[in-house]
């Protein structure tokens, strides 16, 4: 029987991935909660809410608002739900996930448990580690939609499964590589959102490009220390899945985390920033979890940038004061 893929989520990244996958696979199941959006896609071949200019190959799509149906349909599940809503969404399931291959394209942390998605899937849904993968890399949905050259890294401890997903996502404008560093890449994808918040806060406060370069230079070293503390294997932190993803998230105008941080730096409250943005900034939730994970280590890593963002977002400290202090900790 033909191997099938289901995409879970109706946002920008899910839409971009569906565009890629339907070019390579005969049938892709796409789950989203919004039945009206599904009907609109069937009628117009466009997602009305996200990347609305993208033409979708409806003939290759099996659209459904039933999560059970989407899971039953496929051997491979790609999760594109914002991390803040992941547990609530998966609670709707009446089918097990333990016999599925699940790849997370979330780049966040499940806030209720404080776990990265792979760990959450293992502990809560009993998915074996060799059936868990990550889709990562410097790849904004908006640029995929425009067919601008992008790079993805597909990580799984089972090389054959990683290769299958990589092949399914390879296009003339998307180059893919595989990796076995599932934990490291997932932590990196989570941390880079926090550092993008820091970049945004600095921008909002009026710091220039010179400081931003120092901030990112320190951020990649902080990321390396943090990940090595959690999962020590040989990895090249300068690979695009780590450094590349950090840079594009920190600098790009498409980055919702940088935008969130910029608004905070300009004096918006967290509540008002959330109200104004119509998309989720994963870094907000990740900051609290990453801070607590590090704090609970026997010997916490040195994380001045993470600590600074935490103070601003969760201790209501003045961003101007916190970042003035941070400048003395960077080199």
């Amino acid at each position: 029987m033909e191997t099938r893929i289901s995409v879970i989520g109706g946002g920008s990244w899910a839409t971009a991935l569906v565009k890629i996958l339907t070019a390579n696979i005969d049938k892709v199941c796409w789950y989203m909660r919004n039945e009206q959006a599904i009907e609109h896609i069937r009628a117009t071949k466009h997602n009305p809410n996200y990347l609305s200019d993208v033409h979708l190959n409806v003939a290759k799509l099996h659209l459904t608002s039933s999560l059970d149906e989407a899971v039953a349909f496929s051997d491979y599940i790609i999760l594109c739900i914002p991390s803040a809503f992941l547990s609530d969404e998966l609670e709707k399931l009446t089918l097990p996930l333990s016999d599925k291959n699940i790849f997370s394209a979330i780049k966040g942390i499940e806030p209720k448990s404080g776990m990265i998605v792979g760990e959450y899937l293992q502990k809560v849904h009993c998915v074996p580690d060799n059936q868990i993968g990550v889709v990562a890399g410097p790849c904004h949905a908006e640029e995929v939609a425009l067919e601008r050259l992008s790079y993805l890294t597909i990580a799984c401890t089972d090389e054959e499964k990683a290769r299958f997903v990589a092949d399914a996502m390879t296009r003339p404008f998307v180059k893919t590589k595989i990796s076995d560093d599932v934990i490291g890449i997932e932590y990196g994808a989570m941390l880079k959102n926090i550092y993008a918040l820091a970049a945004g806060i600095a921008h909002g406060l009026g710091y220039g490009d010179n400081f931003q370069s120092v901030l990112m230079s320190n951020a990649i070293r902080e990321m390396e220390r943090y990940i090595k503390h959690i999962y020590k294997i040989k990895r090249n932190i300068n690979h695009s899945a780590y450094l590349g993803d950090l840079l594009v998230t920190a600098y790009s105008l498409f980055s919702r985390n940088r935008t969130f941080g910029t608004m905070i730096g300009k004096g918006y409250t967290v509540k008002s920033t959330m109200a104004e943005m119509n998309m989720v900034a994963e870094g907000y939730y990740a900051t609290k979890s990453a801070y607590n994970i590090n704090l609970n280590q026997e010997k916490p890593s040195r994380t001045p940038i993470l600590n600074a963002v935490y103070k601003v977002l969760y201790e209501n400290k003045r961003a101007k004061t916190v970042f003035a202090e941070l400048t003395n900790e960077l080199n």
Side-chain angles (χ1 to χ4, degrees):
M1 190 177 77
E2 180 190 7
T3 305
R4 292 173 165 182
I5 293 181
S6 288
V7 176
I8 309 299
S12 298
W13 192 214
T15 304
L17 288 178
V18 164
K19 170 188 168 78
I20 295 169
L21 291 167
T22 49
N24 294 326
I25 295 175
D26 289 335
K27 206 70 174 178
V28 175
C29 183
W30 190 6
Y31 162 83
M32 61 179 72
R33 292 179 299 170
N34 190 332
E35 189 65 51
Q36 286 182 315
I38 289 175
E39 292 306 318
H40 185 94
I41 292 167
R42 285 188 178 127
T44 70
K45 303 177 183 177
H46 295 273
N47 186 340
N49 302 314
Y50 300 94
L51 303 184
S52 55
D53 291 337
V54 172
H55 178 270
L56 299 165
N57 189 343
V58 177
K60 288 190 172 185
L61 281 176
H62 178 84
L63 290 150
T64 180
S65 60
S66 165
L67 189 57
D68 276 343
E69 184 179 343
V71 168
F73 187 89
S74 297
D75 310 290
Y76 283 76
I77 313 293
I78 299 175
L79 297 175
C80 292
I81 308 166
S83 62
F85 311 133
L86 178 64
S87 61
D88 288 342
E89 201 64 36
L90 294 186
E91 280 175 8
K92 298 176 183 176
L93 272 173
T94 63
L95 300 176
L97 290 173
S98 55
D99 61 340
K100 303 294 180 179
N101 300 301
I102 306 180
F103 282 71
S104 170
I106 293 174
K107 296 188 177 184
I109 205 157
E110 199 289 301
K112 291 181 183 177
S113 64
M115 294 186 281
I116 56 172
V117 176
E119 185 181 10
Y120 170 81
L121 291 170
Q122 274 188 285
K123 293 188 175 178
V124 177
H125 291 277
C126 303
V127 182
D129 62 355
N130 69 336
Q131 292 169 209
I132 294 171
V134 178
V135 179
C139 204
H140 280 308
E142 293 82 358
E143 292 205 355
V144 172
L146 294 168
E147 298 192 3
R148 291 179 176 169
L149 183 60
S150 303
Y151 292 72
L152 282 175
T153 298
I154 315 300
C156 184
T157 56
D158 186 319
E159 184 177 338
E160 186 178 341
K161 291 169 184 172
R163 176 57 61 196
F164 170 77
V165 174
D167 289 345
M169 292 186 176
T170 299
R171 299 290 297 134
F173 56 92
V174 180
K175 295 184 183 295
T176 59
K177 289 193 174 182
I178 64 171
S179 170
D180 62 357
D181 185 19
V182 182
I183 295 172
I185 287 176
E186 189 164 9
Y187 268 102
M190 177 267 289
L191 289 166
K192 58 92 183 181
N193 287 329
I194 301 168
Y195 301 135
L197 287 176
I201 293 170
H203 178 68
L205 289 169
Y207 287 90
D209 292 344
N210 292 342
F211 176 74
Q212 290 284 8
S213 68
V214 174
L215 182 65
M216 289 304 102
S217 174
N218 280 263
I220 193 61
R221 285 177 274 153
E222 182 171 308
M223 179 189 289
E224 184 173 33
R225 287 194 300 271
Y226 191 108
I227 298 173
K228 186 183 290 185
H229 210 67
I230 300 280
Y231 183 53
K232 188 175 182 179
I233 64 167
K234 186 177 180 180
R235 64 174 60 85
N236 180 4
I237 202 69
N238 296 319
H239 188 281
S240 63
Y242 313 96
L243 177 59
D245 204 4
L246 168 64
L247 293 177
V248 76
T249 311
Y251 290 144
S252 176
L253 296 176
F254 290 130
S255 171
R256 65 194 71 173
N257 288 286
R258 180 186 167 94
T259 301
F260 190 103
T262 298
M263 293 175 71
I264 296 294
K266 287 182 176 179
Y268 285 74
T269 64
V270 168
K271 187 174 181 180
S272 61
T273 301
M274 285 183 163
E276 188 152 324
M277 289 181 68
N278 105 19
M279 292 188 287
V280 175
E282 295 281 10
Y284 172 73
Y285 302 101
T287 297
K288 184 176 183 180
S289 297
Y291 180 86
N292 288 330
I293 289 169
N294 190 46
L295 197 65
N296 291 329
Q297 297 292 318
E298 188 174 333
K299 188 179 179 183
S301 294
R302 180 177 171 271
T303 55
I305 303 172
L306 167 60
N307 297 349
V309 176
Y310 180 85
K311 287 174 186 176
V312 173
L313 297 184
Y314 289 95
E315 294 182 352
N316 298 314
K317 301 286 179 66
R318 290 185 69 228
K320 185 175 181 180
T321 303
V322 170
F323 270 64
E325 292 169 354
L326 176 63
T327 62
N328 296 319
E329 297 192 61
L330 306 181
N331 54 65

